[in-house]
Amino acid sequence: MANSANTNTVPKLYRSVIEDVINDVRDIFLDDGVDEQVLMELKTLLPRCLGICGWHSLWENKLMQSRAVDGFHSEEQQLLLQVQQQHQPQQQQHHHHHHHQQAQPQQTVPQQAQTQQVLIPASQQATAPQVIVPDSKLIQHMNASNMSAAATAATLALPAGVTPVQQILTNSGQLLQVVRAANGAQYIFQPQQSVVLQQQVIPQMQPGGVQAPVIQQVLAPLPGGISPQTGVIIQPQQILFTGNKTQVIPTTVAAPTPAQAQITATGQQQPQAQPAQTQAPLVLQVDGTGDTSSEEDEDEEEDYDDDEEEDKEKDGAEDGQVEEEPLNSEDDVSDEEGQELFDTENVVVCQYDKIHRSKNKWKFHLKDGIMNLNGRDYIFSKAIGDAEW
Amino acid sequence: MAYQLYRNTTLGNSLQESLDELIQSQQITPQLALQVLLQFDKAINAALAQRVRNRVNFRGSLNTYRFCDNVWTFVLNYVEFREVTELIKVDKVKIVACDGKNTGSNTTE
């Protein structure tokens, strides 16, 4: 078969990846106290799901061959499951307690993973008065400022027993203060002009074996109204084609607060309303060329096809729409977003080495990709493509 | 950290579905499933980098392009993918590509 190469390599690769994952995960499963049986179940679930996902070609053959074996295993598993069900309720109770206690600290741990990376070098250099710390993503929105007011407010807010203060100078020149509390937990201050501070505590095991509590406090919000914690949304430019005229609605940079979002939304709506209104006195005809109200209107109407398109479509049933249709149908070039939302969308997931553009000629240098085309999977280590925009 | 890019593939989706089934039947915790997915990311990234050695060419017309957060997203129309062995034609394809230069700086979801 001509396509034997890919149909051989793809399932082989998938199998090897499944094997690797199962083996690597076995330790994690055992650490978590989960039975090996569950691991085996995952292992057999995977090929079945692959089959369901429409990956037919080779899997059907494999399933046919191994159906006897699979059937045997599934029966075994059912018997084992019945036996296990007697033991599982008892185990699950222990698991739930265990996991519940771990749930809360673990939830904040990922958030603080970045701070851990920042602080670990800090803690190791405890004696140095200044520590250079690589810019972390925590400090994206920081403004350089004096420590005085903010710091004193924060230090007052700290629980008692907080002693020496370390100053950390990041690459960007921002000043952090690391305060080491008596219980060994470290607090970081991120001074800002507006009085917002973030305190993040890294849990550390004390000699007594008690974990320091995980605290994440964010002090009071700003007077400025723009919260630096949230990201900045740049509203895309909107270009209105109003016949021969184009109006560009300027980009607005706004924080994602509801008030501002409403403002930008209404701001965008207003310019849209205005062109329609300014054109209204010029274009009276809205209902097709058959209307004999005035000839002037017809000429002006043709200039503003795009805007009046919706109105024309509504009046399509009326007379004299024949000449309008060709004009209408060519105008709409943009695709609907809905077209992208159907099942078998052909997707390529990969990494890019180089993307090059010259005028409207694009060249793609891609690598390590998995493609799903026409329902089938393909893999490449390198892909080179050309396209014209 | 390996890219989580490959989770939305046949293999990745089937893994996520399998894990969801196990979570539903309370055989594993969501935390454990997350660990499995992280391990899958590493495994698939390594496998693609090392075990695959083939080339594909393609040509088509570019409908849209987007570059955001160092991720390119293209939508191409009427594309022909050409491998040594076969030719594949599609009317529409979406390409999502992460930066291939430094594969260690992806943020977690």
Side-chain angles (χ1 to χ4, degrees):
Chain A
M1 291 173 62
N3 50 4
S4 59
N6 221 312
T7 50
N8 271 337
T9 54
V10 171
K12 244 194 231 173
L13 184 84
Y14 283 8
R15 272 196 182 282
S16 67
V17 170
I18 293 176
E19 288 291 331
D20 285 346
V21 173
I22 296 287
N23 288 330
D24 292 334
V25 149
R26 179 169 285 125
D27 290 337
I28 304 177
F29 267 56
L30 292 177
D31 281 345
D32 234 33
V34 180
D35 216 8
E36 178 99 4
Q37 202 59 34
V38 183
L39 192 66
M40 289 303 121
E41 211 172 311
L42 178 65
K43 194 170 175 183
T44 52
L45 267 176
L46 272 171
R48 279 193 219 136
C49 277
L50 280 173
I52 291 169
C53 289
W55 193 49
H56 301 296
S57 58
L58 200 65
W59 266 118
E60 280 183 342
N61 297 335
K62 296 224 173 204
L63 280 176
M64 294 287 286
Q65 291 171 5
S66 61
R67 189 156 287 172
V69 182
D70 273 349
F72 178 70
H73 277 310
S74 64
E75 285 175 14
E76 250 189 3
Q77 283 177 0
Q78 283 173 6
L79 288 175
L80 284 169
L81 275 176
Q82 288 173 3
V83 173
Q84 271 191 352
Q85 277 173 1
Q86 299 172 0
H87 299 285
Q88 268 185 1
Q90 298 172 2
Q91 290 179 359
Q92 280 179 359
Q93 286 174 5
H94 291 293
H95 283 311
H96 283 313
H97 285 301
H98 186 58
H99 291 303
H100 184 63
Q101 287 173 0
Q102 285 184 352
Q104 288 177 350
Q106 281 179 356
Q107 284 172 2
T108 51
V109 162
Q111 295 172 2
Q112 299 177 358
Q114 295 171 352
T115 61
Q116 281 182 350
Q117 293 171 3
V118 172
L119 281 188
I120 285 174
S123 62
Q124 289 173 354
Q125 303 182 18
T127 55
Q130 275 194 351
V131 176
I132 306 286
V133 174
D135 246 343
S136 75
K137 295 173 186 174
L138 298 171
I139 322 177
Q140 280 175 356
H141 44 269
M142 264 187 58
N143 299 321
S145 68
N146 294 327
M147 284 294 298
S148 54
T152 50
T155 47
L156 287 175
L158 275 183
V162 174
T163 44
V165 175
Q166 290 180 355
Q167 290 197 343
I168 296 184
L169 193 67
T170 68
N171 277 350
S172 65
Q174 311 272 352
L175 210 62
L176 297 183
Q177 274 196 349
V178 176
V179 179
R180 182 161 300 163
N183 61 355
Q186 287 184 347
Y187 295 78
I188 290 187
F189 289 104
Q190 295 178 353
Q192 292 177 353
Q193 285 175 354
S194 41
V195 189
V196 171
L197 295 180
Q198 284 185 348
Q199 296 178 356
Q200 290 175 338
V201 177
I202 306 304
Q204 291 179 357
M205 294 299 293
Q206 295 189 349
V210 176
Q211 261 191 355
V214 172
I215 303 172
Q216 192 174 23
Q217 295 177 359
V218 176
L219 287 189
L222 326 166
I226 296 180
S227 169
Q229 297 174 5
T230 57
V232 172
I233 292 182
I234 299 179
Q235 302 281 345
Q237 281 188 354
Q238 278 198 356
I239 301 179
L240 281 188
F241 288 98
T242 57
N244 298 327
K245 305 175 191 171
T246 60
Q247 292 182 356
V248 177
I249 299 177
T251 57
T252 58
V253 176
T257 58
Q260 292 185 352
Q262 288 174 1
I263 292 173
T264 54
T266 53
Q268 289 171 2
Q269 288 172 4
Q270 285 171 2
Q272 287 179 3
Q274 286 173 0
Q277 291 174 1
T278 56
Q279 294 169 13
L282 298 176
V283 181
L284 293 178
Q285 177 167 350
V286 183
D287 53 356
T289 50
D291 193 352
T292 56
S293 57
S294 76
E295 292 178 356
E296 295 174 1
D297 294 334
E298 285 186 13
D299 293 335
E300 287 157 357
E301 184 184 26
E302 290 172 3
D303 289 338
Y304 304 103
D305 277 344
D306 294 337
D307 259 4
E308 304 303 317
E309 186 182 318
E310 286 180 5
D311 294 332
K312 286 178 193 168
E313 285 173 359
K314 287 177 199 167
D315 300 321
E318 295 189 5
D319 306 333
Q321 196 64 13
V322 179
E323 291 186 18
E324 296 298 325
E325 283 300 333
L327 289 173
N328 281 342
S329 56
E330 293 164 14
D331 292 338
D332 190 5
V333 179
S334 63
D335 283 340
E336 292 176 0
E337 279 302 314
Q339 286 183 10
E340 300 190 16
L341 305 172
F342 48 79
D343 350 349
T344 55
E345 177 170 289
N346 305 303
V347 180
V348 176
V349 185
C350 57
Q351 299 174 28
Y352 62 88
D353 276 329
K354 196 162 178 58
I355 304 290
H356 173 77
R357 177 195 64 84
S358 202
K359 298 227 164 118
N360 73 332
K361 306 277 186 278
W362 288 72
K363 292 197 194 315
F364 313 94
H365 293 254
L366 310 170
K367 69 175 187 183
D368 294 346
I370 300 181
M371 311 195 282
N372 184 278
L373 306 172
N374 299 326
R376 289 187 48 188
D377 271 13
Y378 305 87
I379 294 191
F380 61 83
S381 65
K382 267 176 85 74
I384 298 187
D386 285 285
E388 225 176 273
W389 179 73
Chain B
M1 279 285 302
Y3 280 130
Q4 300 182 359
L5 174 70
Y6 300 101
R7 289 195 190 179
N8 188 24
T9 57
T10 313
L11 192 58
N13 281 325
S14 54
L15 177 63
Q16 293 194 61
E17 287 172 20
S18 311
L19 289 173
D20 283 340
E21 281 189 34
L22 292 179
I23 292 176
Q24 287 294 325
S25 60
Q26 304 231 338
Q27 285 170 292
I28 62 174
T29 64
Q31 187 68 21
L32 181 60
L34 182 64
Q35 295 294 320
V36 175
L37 283 172
L38 292 175
Q39 197 59 44
F40 165 77
D41 295 330
K42 290 185 201 163
I44 190 72
N45 272 281
L48 282 174
Q50 293 159 12
R51 289 191 213 141
V52 188
R53 282 284 169 260
N54 62 323
R55 241 175 89 140
V56 165
N57 289 315
F58 62 96
R59 180 177 294 276
S61 56
L62 185 62
N63 187 312
T64 63
Y65 55 89
R66 177 186 304 145
F67 185 59
C68 182
D69 289 337
N70 277 319
V71 177
W72 277 105
T73 307
F74 304 103
V75 176
L76 277 75
N77 291 123
Y78 309 118
V79 196
E80 285 186 7
F81 289 85
R82 209 170 289 262
E83 205 172 353
V84 176
T85 49
E86 56 189 312
L87 170 68
I88 309 147
K89 287 194 191 177
V90 293
D91 283 346
K92 181 177 165 190
V93 65
K94 175 190 259 191
I95 300 181
V96 180
C98 287
D99 196 347
K101 288 159 203 161
N102 291 319
T103 60
S105 55
N106 193 21
T107 54
T108 55
E109 287 178 4

